[in-house]
Amino acid sequence: MEEAADRGRPPWRCTVAVQAALCLALYAAFSLGEPQLIPRGGVNALGRGARGGGGGDVAFLSVAGGARGPIEQARLLRQMETIAKVYEVKFVLDVAQLGEDDPLWQNGSMYFQALNIPWYSTKSSHGRTVGNFLKKVKMPYDQVLDIIGMDTWPLQEPLHDGKISTSYRGQTKWLDQSLALTDSNWKIVAGYNPLLVCNGEETPETTKFYVPFQHIFAKYEVNAYISMGGFCGYFHQDNSILYIGHPSLGDDQTSVDGFFLHRVRPLEMESMLINVEGKLVQRSVVQQHGRGAM
């Protein structure tokens, strides 16, 4: 009787194999539909060195504002949350035209409250109150990172009638004075509109329009300018400045939806464009003194 009962029981090896298969199937079921952000090589596969906060760097995210469908927005925010946790980002910079009225800023800033990660936003005022800001971020080794947000809407006014407007002059003066007062190691300026024209689109009017700001950037050794994308691609090195352009939804030039992870170290800043599927699209590195590498 006992021998017959023993023959009726499956071998213990088979039982263990079945349980292992069930666990793998359950894990796969939970993983389906959830983009895998971290590459096979681990958390450092997206960038060199240790995770944020432990390798002498400061990490932050930047993303383009704008309206998205509920599913697309949730997917984007989940990917940003995963990266924020892995790299211990300090803040999120939302490149938005509407500032705090931007749909992504309103939902994203609330979504990230539990992580205690603040969201800062650029703003295009369209003739209303100008929205500039300056945020100082302490880095390891007594270094300082300055994030300078500039309202770029007044900068469009000279293009309407060919004359330099009062608001245009005011913005150039504010930027010049703000940078003159900083003694930071890293200076990153952010605005909604790109301040660079590429691919044969440059005209005498636009050259006149952008040159004053490029001179200010060079004068105070600005390391990078972050904005919406233009005709220059995601990254464009111009002399000592790295121009970073965010993907624009529905734009053929930059049709990828995603965000940037920036890791600022004592001697270099690494920026990585990550799409909503968690894949690394493109990377660029700018040295503190302006020498860039792709």
Side-chain angles (χ1 to χ4, degrees):
M1 293 289 291
E2 292 181 359
E3 291 180 359
D6 291 339
R7 286 196 298 268
R9 297 188 190 124
W12 66 270
R13 292 185 179 86
C14 294
T15 302
V16 172
V18 170
Q19 289 177 345
L22 288 174
C23 290
L24 288 174
L26 184 62
Y27 176 81
F30 277 112
S31 299
L32 283 175
E34 190 71 21
Q36 298 301 305
L37 181 61
I38 306 305
R40 186 175 298 174
V43 295
N44 292 326
L46 284 176
R48 302 186 300 275
R51 58 185 281 168
D57 65 354
V58 168
F60 69 96
L61 304 180
S62 63
V63 64
R68 292 171 174 84
I71 296 177
E72 290 77 11
Q73 186 176 99
R75 193 180 185 190
L76 175 64
L77 291 175
R78 283 198 302 268
Q79 291 286 27
M80 293 175 64
E81 179 187 25
T82 303
I83 276 288
K85 290 178 178 178
V86 171
Y87 289 92
E88 300 176 5
V89 306
K90 301 300 182 184
F91 60 92
V92 177
L93 177 62
D94 187 358
V95 180
Q97 188 173 15
L98 301 177
E100 295 183 2
D101 294 327
D102 180 77
L104 183 65
W105 187 93
Q106 292 176 343
N107 293 322
S109 58
M110 292 182 60
Y111 188 87
F112 273 66
Q113 275 185 351
L115 300 177
N116 197 27
I117 297 175
W119 278 53
Y120 304 122
S121 179
T122 62
K123 181 178 181 181
S124 289
S125 59
H126 293 268
R128 298 187 293 273
T129 304
V130 172
N132 299 333
F133 66 84
L134 172 60
K135 302 293 181 183
K136 288 187 173 293
V137 182
K138 292 184 179 179
M139 297 177 58
Y141 311 114
D142 296 324
Q143 291 200 348
V144 177
L145 163 66
D146 277 346
I147 302 293
I148 302 161
M150 186 172 62
D151 181 355
T152 54
W153 176 255
L155 310 186
Q156 307 301 312
E157 295 183 12
L159 299 181
H160 296 323
D161 55 11
K163 297 180 181 179
I164 301 297
S165 67
T166 302
S167 57
Y168 180 96
R169 294 180 186 276
Q171 285 296 72
T172 55
K173 183 178 180 181
W174 178 87
L175 181 63
D176 190 286
Q177 291 178 341
S178 298
L179 288 171
L181 294 175
T182 66
D183 57 355
S184 59
N185 307 92
W186 287 92
K187 303 179 184 71
I188 299 175
V189 180
Y192 182 76
N193 300 94
L195 298 181
L196 194 68
V197 180
C198 303
N199 298 343
E201 298 292 330
E202 193 165 334
T203 65
E205 281 189 348
T206 55
T207 301
K208 180 181 179 181
F209 168 57
Y210 293 125
V211 161
F213 291 91
Q214 293 170 353
H215 284 171
I216 293 174
F217 291 165
K219 177 181 177 181
Y220 296 106
E221 297 183 340
V222 170
N223 302 100
Y225 176 74
I226 300 176
S227 69
M228 292 298 293
F231 293 97
C232 302
Y234 306 124
F235 299 106
H236 183 83
Q237 190 77 27
D238 183 66
N239 295 322
S240 62
I241 304 162
L242 178 64
Y243 289 83
I244 302 173
H246 282 75
S248 304
L249 296 178
D251 188 344
D252 292 337
Q253 297 292 327
T254 53
S255 58
V256 175
D257 193 14
F259 59 95
F260 286 92
L261 166 66
H262 308 276
R263 303 182 67 190
V264 186
R265 304 182 181 93
L267 297 179
E268 68 177 21
M269 181 180 79
E270 183 179 24
S271 297
M272 291 159 278
L273 175 59
I274 304 166
N275 65 17
V276 292
E277 278 128 15
K279 296 179 181 179
L280 177 63
V281 178
Q282 197 171 352
R283 173 194 280 120
S284 184
V285 176
V286 62
Q287 306 297 325
Q288 191 180 61
H289 296 291
R291 291 171 296 177
M294 297 285 284

